[in-house]
Amino acid sequence: MKINKEINRRRTFGIVSHPDAGKTTLTEKLLLFGGAIQEAGAVKNNKIKKTATSDFMEIERQRGISVATSVLGFEYKTIKINILDTPGHKDFAEDTFRTLTAVDSVIVVIDVAKGVEEQTEKLVKVCRMRNIPIIVFINKMDREGKDAFELLDEIEQKLGLHVTPLSFPIGMGYDFKGIYNIWEKNVNLFTGDPKKDIEDTVQVNDLSTDEIDELIGTDSADTLREELELVQGVYPEFNIDEYKRGELQPVFFGSALNNFGVRELLDCFIEIAPPPRPKQSDIREIRPEEDKFTGFVFKIHANMDPRHRDRLAFVKVVSGKFERNKPYLHVRSNKNLKFSSPNAFFAERKEVVDEMFPGDIVGLHDTGTFKIGDTLTEGEILQYKGIPNFSPEHFRYINNADPMKSKQLNKGIEQLMDEGVAQLFTLELNNRKIIGTVGALQYEVIQYRLEHEYGAKCSYENINVHKACWIEPKDPKSEEFKEFKRVKAKFLAHDKSDQLVFLADSEFSLQMTQQKYPNIIFHFTSEF
């Protein structure tokens, strides 16, 4: 069975963390091992001329942060790895939440100096809800930071994880000597010279002998022995089944920028991480080894190449084999679609492929048929669940700043909203457009992309809205609902799929409205 072999060599995972903990840098280094890029670029550092390969939007390069999830694939020791690098900024959290529906396991990156930060907490909570297996990577060990045990405690308390270290640092920051790899029982010495060969490890089978003293000095060796004894006493032994059930999280230490500790992480990852997992649909659980193809769209990206107006829909293959030029059913519109040039990703390079297997992410050229959350099958009618739309927290009117360009503006807004950058509401009263976003940085991204990709200028105007709620009356014909629509007329709007939305101007008025109209349900997320 070729398909089973292909499924078992796939690993699809996401990298999540707080901004600046080093996700994109880690992604780059992993690609370096896969032989996929020759020279890795850190997001910030000007010393290296090359900027990070996974940040391909102009705005990402200017600000040194990642704004959109990017998909990267590479081969390492016969294993095919697909990485989804997500933005850490909370303003782009929605993109990250959606991406988590498409991964089989997660690597959480934590900055040794800052410890666990709020964005990490939120994202790990989502992973725990879905029982996604997690590996923790503690980054920037070559800088001064918190004590290793203190960090492990913090991870257990704040994230509610059950950890066990699989590698352990020898010293830290200025005294950083290297890493003892508990998983493979060897020592990797740190030179601070990234050009030096990375594979340089020394096998140490017995810690009680003197050879380790010669390597790192007697003081460090004694400390290491004490700390490892403590580790064995306090933390449970690593158990692969518990890890796969999401009950135990292994921890690695290293420094991504110096390419240190990354190979250990990768070697362990391909051994223990789960291959593609089954996924729940609205009618049954779909297993990856089924014959028939199914998949779902978790992200749409417009204008990946500024020279052409193209839109790509990112589809995660859940089961069966995706083939080029074969017609598939687009469940929502009930149409059959054929794809003549499906893409496999590697940051900026896309290659046309003939077949893709479960766990792979395939990019389909899209002329506006797809929305986020759509399902593709070989004819079976089913929907994958669990890609929510969050209630936005920031609202502004959007105005056209250049009357000659209103057509471009409308087209641009429509395409960016399809991409899921933000949500558009149209007021019932006067048809003015309101854009709601999860974070304030989104407005700049929208304005920037409208101007550079569509040639349209827009301006914003503040509006006093506290929250948007989707309205569902228990009885659409009731007097209560009619009165609600009359009294609250100036607060009502429609979203893009024409559902009724109530824009509350404060927490208080929202509570009053909920009490006054008990037979109307107010939702804070809309499941597509």
Side-chain angles (χ1 to χ4, degrees):
M1 282 297 285
K2 186 183 173 197
I3 181 160
N4 278 352
K5 191 179 149 210
E6 289 294 335
I7 292 172
N8 287 330
R9 65 180 211 102
R10 295 286 188 279
R11 301 282 183 276
T12 304
F13 69 98
I15 297 187
V16 300
S17 81
H18 198 78
D20 274 356
K23 282 185 299 299
T24 302
T25 313
L26 178 63
T27 308
E28 297 277 306
K29 293 308 200 265
L30 292 172
L31 293 180
L32 205 54
F33 283 111
I37 47 179
Q38 261 43 63
E39 147 192 38
V43 186
K44 281 221 176 59
N45 202 339
N46 297 335
K47 285 197 293 248
I48 312 174
K49 286 289 171 282
K50 211 171 149 306
T51 42
T53 7
S54 45
D55 289 357
F56 52 74
M57 272 156 64
E58 191 50 40
I59 188 162
E60 301 185 298
R61 297 214 170 103
Q62 285 176 3
R63 298 204 153 202
I65 58 170
S66 306
V67 176
T69 303
S70 60
V71 178
L72 308 133
F74 66 94
E75 301 252 339
Y76 179 72
K77 295 190 178 175
T78 75
I79 298 283
K80 166 92 193 313
I81 297 182
N82 297 310
I83 304 183
L84 301 172
D85 180 21
T86 61
H89 263 265
K90 66 166 182 293
D91 298 10
F92 309 106
E94 247 186 299
D95 200 33
T96 310
F97 285 130
R98 290 196 198 112
T99 306
L100 287 176
T101 58
V103 300
D104 301 308
S105 66
V106 167
I107 291 183
V108 178
V109 183
I110 290 176
D111 181 334
V112 66
K114 298 186 181 140
V116 176
E117 298 169 274
E118 59 157 344
Q119 204 51 34
T120 323
E121 290 187 43
K122 279 190 192 155
L123 292 166
V124 169
K125 209 159 130 193
V126 177
C127 299
R128 305 233 3 195
M129 267 162 38
R130 306 207 163 111
N131 287 331
I132 303 176
I134 299 172
I135 293 181
V136 181
F137 181 69
I138 295 180
N139 194 12
K140 306 191 182 179
M141 287 309 297
D142 54 323
R143 302 196 188 167
E144 295 296 328
K146 301 186 177 178
D147 172 67
F149 288 106
E150 197 183 319
L151 263 173
L152 293 169
D153 278 352
E154 189 176 334
I155 294 171
E156 295 213 311
Q157 282 162 5
K158 284 198 180 163
L159 301 179
L161 299 181
H162 231 68
V163 301
T164 178
L166 288 188
S167 75
F168 209 79
I170 305 171
M172 151 191 306
Y174 184 67
D175 304 324
F176 187 51
K177 295 275 183 7
I179 282 172
Y180 177 74
N181 187 337
I182 300 174
W183 174 249
E184 293 171 11
K185 290 205 172 29
N186 58 23
V187 170
N188 193 348
L189 298 178
F190 179 68
T191 51
D193 175 11
K195 290 192 187 69
K196 192 168 172 297
D197 193 4
I198 312 149
E199 307 295 314
D200 198 15
T201 58
V202 185
Q203 192 72 28
V204 177
N205 294 323
D206 186 5
L207 279 180
S208 56
T209 56
D210 295 345
E211 58 176 325
I212 190 160
D213 294 58
E214 288 158 27
L215 290 173
I216 56 177
T218 318
D219 293 351
S220 304
D222 289 342
T223 319
L224 178 65
R225 289 187 190 112
E226 281 169 26
E227 290 185 331
L228 285 173
E229 242 176 68
L230 199 57
V231 167
Q232 282 160 357
V234 177
Y235 295 103
E237 255 187 49
F238 178 69
N239 173 330
I240 190 157
D241 299 329
E242 285 179 24
Y243 156 74
K244 284 192 175 166
R245 287 200 300 269
E247 293 164 14
L248 185 70
Q249 286 79 22
V251 181
F252 284 88
F253 292 85
S255 158
L257 189 62
N258 292 308
N259 214 337
F260 195 74
V262 179
R263 189 188 58 79
E264 288 80 348
L265 174 71
L266 191 56
D267 282 347
C268 175
F269 173 81
I270 59 174
E271 265 189 60
I272 67 173
R277 311 203 296 177
K279 192 168 170 64
Q280 199 56 46
S281 72
D282 54 358
I283 50 175
R284 63 194 184 84
E285 188 178 73
I286 312 285
R287 304 197 59 78
E289 57 274 3
E290 293 179 20
D291 301 337
K292 297 254 194 295
F293 162 78
T294 62
F296 66 97
V297 178
F298 65 94
K299 174 182 167 60
I300 290 172
H301 196 101
N303 314 322
M304 281 181 78
D305 181 346
R307 288 182 298 262
H308 309 286
R309 290 264 164 268
D310 64 340
R311 281 177 43 156
L312 270 180
F314 290 61
V315 174
K316 158 100 191 255
V317 181
V318 181
S319 68
K321 184 166 75 171
F322 176 88
E323 290 173 88
R324 180 174 156 191
N325 284 328
K326 190 171 172 183
Y328 291 114
L329 173 70
H330 178 233
V331 177
R332 187 170 50 86
S333 66
N334 207 7
K335 286 195 187 81
N336 273 334
L337 305 173
K338 243 186 188 162
F339 304 100
S340 57
S341 57
N343 290 123
F345 291 100
F346 165 72
E348 240 161 39
R349 286 210 317 278
K350 304 190 300 249
E351 290 153 18
V352 174
V353 283
D354 292 325
E355 47 179 34
M356 295 290 257
F357 294 95
D360 282 333
I361 310 291
V362 56
L364 303 176
H365 287 276
D366 168 32
T367 47
T369 23
F370 287 119
K371 285 196 172 135
I372 287 177
D374 283 356
T375 307
L376 283 171
T377 68
E378 282 192 31
E380 189 177 3
I381 304 231
L382 57 92
Q383 275 300 127
Y384 283 112
K385 280 261 182 294
I387 300 196
N389 214 8
F390 298 93
S391 167
E393 295 174 13
H394 302 257
F395 299 87
R396 290 183 196 169
Y397 284 120
I398 182 166
N399 300 325
N400 187 357
D402 179 356
M404 303 295 286
K405 292 276 174 77
S406 62
K407 190 171 153 223
Q408 283 90 329
L409 181 75
N410 287 338
K411 183 175 178 209
I413 291 179
E414 186 177 320
Q415 292 207 346
L416 290 178
M417 297 304 136
D418 276 347
E419 210 179 289
V421 176
Q423 291 172 56
L424 185 68
F425 302 107
T426 313
L427 278 179
E428 275 199 345
L429 207 60
N430 50 14
N431 280 345
R432 281 192 73 178
K433 291 186 165 60
I434 293 175
I435 284 189
T437 67
V438 180
L441 222 82
Q442 300 284 48
Y443 291 109
E444 276 179 61
V445 174
I446 293 171
Q447 196 167 17
Y448 180 93
R449 290 185 62 184
L450 282 173
E451 191 172 331
H452 291 245
E453 294 172 13
Y454 299 92
K457 287 189 166 60
C458 71
S459 64
Y460 297 114
E461 204 181 306
N462 283 333
I463 169 179
N464 182 21
V465 172
H466 164 70
K467 225 170 173 46
C469 328
W470 283 266
I471 296 298
E472 186 193 355
K474 287 181 183 164
D475 174 13
K477 296 193 175 69
S478 65
E479 284 301 314
E480 182 181 345
F481 187 50
K482 281 181 194 149
E483 191 205 348
F484 169 79
K485 290 209 313 207
R486 196 191 76 242
V487 175
K488 297 290 179 192
K490 66 178 219 245
F491 298 112
L492 291 182
H494 288 274
D495 71 1
K496 235 181 75 206
S497 44
D498 219 35
Q499 289 170 301
L500 191 64
V501 176
F502 170 61
L503 303 171
D505 52 359
S506 69
E507 183 70 44
F508 175 69
S509 77
L510 177 59
Q511 286 172 352
M512 293 299 287
T513 314
Q514 281 172 317
Q515 284 167 8
K516 196 172 164 192
Y517 304 101
N519 291 323
I520 296 175
I521 308 166
F522 295 79
H523 295 284
F524 293 108
T525 58
S526 75
E527 268 272 349
F528 285 122

